[in-house]
Amino acid sequence: LLRIGPIAWLSGTYLPLFSIIFVDIWQWTPFVALLMLAGLQGLPKPPYEAAAIDGATAWQRFVSITLPLLRPTLLVVLLLRTIDTLKVFDTVYVLTTGGPGRATEVLSMHAFHLGFKYFRMDRATAFCYLMLVIISVIALCLIKLLRSEEKV
């Protein structure tokens, strides 16, 4: 009816990467929503009651009460998603195997290719250790940020 041809979701230069990002978001959004719902349900009621009595609008309550109280939950969700995003392998392998060319080759896929395609287990192991260090540094920075927010 609209005369739009088929869309090559997994071929080309940019569309496969966006397709993988979309699949990853689609896969992990329920988990993030569940964690955020748990965080929202654990918020105390008295600050909201006091803000309502003081005449705060819904936006003011959200910015002044909800976001600061949800900061630890947000940082945990961010930490988990960052770690999971850096180690994603299965989605890329199933959809594109790192192709077309190397357009969707992520870090874990590169380590896989080094070890099992080119049989360079020494480089693949070193690369995995480097990934571990990178993920650990990012995780420690996020945890430090979480701890600094708890002290305030």
Side-chain angles (χ1 to χ4, degrees), residues 55-125:
T57 65
W59 177 253
Q60 290 171 332
R61 286 188 303 248
F62 177 74
V63 171
S64 300
I65 299 171
T66 305
L67 280 181
L69 291 175
L70 270 182
R71 181 164 273 138
T73 306
L74 286 168
L75 287 173
V76 166
V77 167
L78 182 64
L79 176 66
L80 291 174
R81 285 301 298 139
T82 302
I83 291 171
D84 187 59
T85 302
L86 287 173
K87 67 176 190 65
V88 68
F89 174 80
D90 54 347
T91 306
V92 177
Y93 186 77
V94 168
L95 291 177
T96 64
T97 318
R102 294 175 69 178
T104 59
E105 188 172 311
V106 293
L107 294 174
S108 55
M109 183 62 65
H110 183 68
F112 176 78
H113 283 294
L114 278 174
F116 297 107
K117 186 176 181 183
Y118 303 118
F119 300 108
R120 298 299 311 254
M121 291 294 179
D122 54 341
R123 290 186 183 193
T125 304

